[in-house]
Amino acid sequence: MSRPQNVFTVDLEEWFHICASGLAELRPENWDRLPSRVDLTTRLLLDLLDAAHVRATFFVVGWVAERHADVVAAVRDAGHEIGSHSHLHRRVYELDAVAFRTDLRTSLRALADAGAAPVTMFRAPEWSINDRSLWALEALAAEGIRVDASMAPVKLVGSVRYPRYPHIRITDAGPITEVPPLVADRFRHVMPMGWGWGLRMSSPRRILQTIDAANRAGLPAVLTIHPWELDPRPPRVRLPARLQFAHYFRLGGFTHRLREVLRHASFGRIGDMTPVSGT
Ligand SMILES: [Zn+2]
């Protein structure tokens, strides 16, 4: 049996795209006044992926695409696939269906204007398609999205009941392939593995073991990172404790650990995955 194609994904956003920070200085109307780091950090990431011969799927915030068409072009020209990470990086369950579709359309227009190929993939900010916002899957399908990667099978942001591997969800507007991020059972909890603080907390060896176990079961592993995690000099703001942890915990050595994971497992784009069958 050939090994399944693992997937590497990136949420391409600025360091200040933090949901619900409660900080006035991080509200969208102030974003243009904050120091931009997305050009530098995305280019660091592109170099890292290039050295590892990895082509990935980049979910790009539309607001970033509006201001950094050259970054979108660099991602596209390196052979990576481009999806939407919304326009203003708001949690889906805090919007209604009309506001969600308006934001999605704005992001798709911004990505097209920046030179991306027609977008059919989406990831919500902060894994915010969950039991509070399942209506969003139909809205995505109605807007031409065929792949969603927004539902995390962990308790904090999603549900441990969600399937852990790619599967098809049927909506009234058509089917949508859901591509969840890799998790593992550890310390009697379901933990992120190879994404967010999961990549910072676990050793590369542990992550590679989890990937290998999934692959031996015939299943792909889906990893994801943010360019700001590679920032050698991240701008600092005082965040509430929970966000402080998610955003800044153990960023030191991140590039080294990521390089180790990329070196010892193979990854591709979502579009390179074997098509998923069944529901
Ligand atoms: Zn995000």
Side-chain angles (χ1 to χ4, degrees):
M1 187 179 76
S2 65
R3 288 175 76 86
Q5 175 68 61
N6 297 314
V7 171
F8 197 84
T9 69
V10 177
D11 292 351
L12 205 169
E13 61 191 41
E14 286 278 12
W15 63 275
F16 47 78
H17 288 145
I18 302 168
C19 295
S21 71
L23 300 179
E25 64 191 287
L26 299 192
R27 284 198 202 118
E29 61 268 31
N30 294 324
W31 286 351
D32 276 320
R33 284 197 280 273
L34 295 166
S36 172
R37 305 289 288 169
V38 77
D39 192 308
L40 169 85
T41 53
T42 302
R43 286 176 200 279
L44 289 174
L45 177 57
L46 288 174
D47 287 348
L48 208 69
L49 294 174
D50 184 52
H53 308 291
V54 170
R55 285 182 180 166
T57 301
F58 280 64
F59 295 101
V60 181
V61 170
W63 185 91
V64 170
E66 270 180 344
R67 285 154 183 80
H68 299 276
D70 52 334
V71 174
V72 175
V75 169
R76 179 201 61 206
D77 293 346
H80 304 294
E81 190 169 64
I82 293 175
S84 165
H85 190 41
S86 84
H87 195 69
L88 287 180
H89 205 265
R90 291 175 295 185
R91 290 173 177 150
V92 175
Y93 54 75
E94 289 171 350
L95 305 173
D96 61 27
V98 173
F100 174 67
R101 284 181 72 156
T102 302
D103 179 89
L104 174 64
R105 280 184 200 163
T106 311
S107 85
L108 297 180
R109 209 174 309 123
L111 290 169
D113 289 349
V119 165
T120 58
M121 300 187 184
F122 179 80
R123 174 174 287 145
E126 223 180 79
W127 312 101
S128 58
I129 296 184
N130 55 28
D131 290 349
R132 299 160 72 183
S133 49
L134 288 174
W135 49 263
L137 295 174
E138 183 183 331
L140 288 169
E143 294 292 338
I145 300 295
R146 295 289 165 258
V147 172
D148 176 62
S150 308
M151 298 181 69
V154 296
K155 189 172 160 192
L156 194 61
V157 288
S159 167
V160 294
R161 291 179 289 100
Y162 296 162
R164 295 186 178 189
Y165 295 99
H167 57 284
I168 292 175
R169 288 179 175 254
I170 302 300
T171 80
D172 286 347
I176 194 156
T177 301
E178 185 62 40
V179 181
L182 185 67
V183 296
D185 296 295
R186 292 191 69 195
F187 315 116
R188 295 200 212 155
H189 289 283
V190 183
M191 312 279 276
M193 193 54 62
W195 51 279
W197 51 268
L199 183 55
R200 297 181 234 153
M201 192 139 91
S202 307
S203 67
R205 195 173 64 94
R206 172 75 69 175
I207 292 164
L208 289 162
Q209 283 171 347
T210 310
I211 293 171
D212 191 52
N215 291 172
R216 274 188 278 110
L219 296 163
V222 178
L223 269 58
T224 187
I225 70 157
H226 307 89
W228 51 259
E229 290 174 297
L230 298 173
D231 196 332
R233 270 181 290 282
R236 294 245 163 195
V237 282
R238 186 173 293 278
L239 296 168
R242 181 182 71 82
L243 291 170
Q244 186 80 21
F245 178 76
H247 207 70
Y248 291 125
F249 175 72
R250 207 174 169 211
L251 281 173
F254 182 85
T255 300
H256 171 72
R257 287 194 296 280
L258 177 59
R259 202 179 279 129
E260 283 297 295
V261 171
L262 291 175
R263 184 176 296 153
H264 296 288
S266 76
F267 298 95
R269 302 165 291 205
I270 288 176
D272 301 324
M273 266 185 359
T274 319
V276 185
S277 56
T279 55

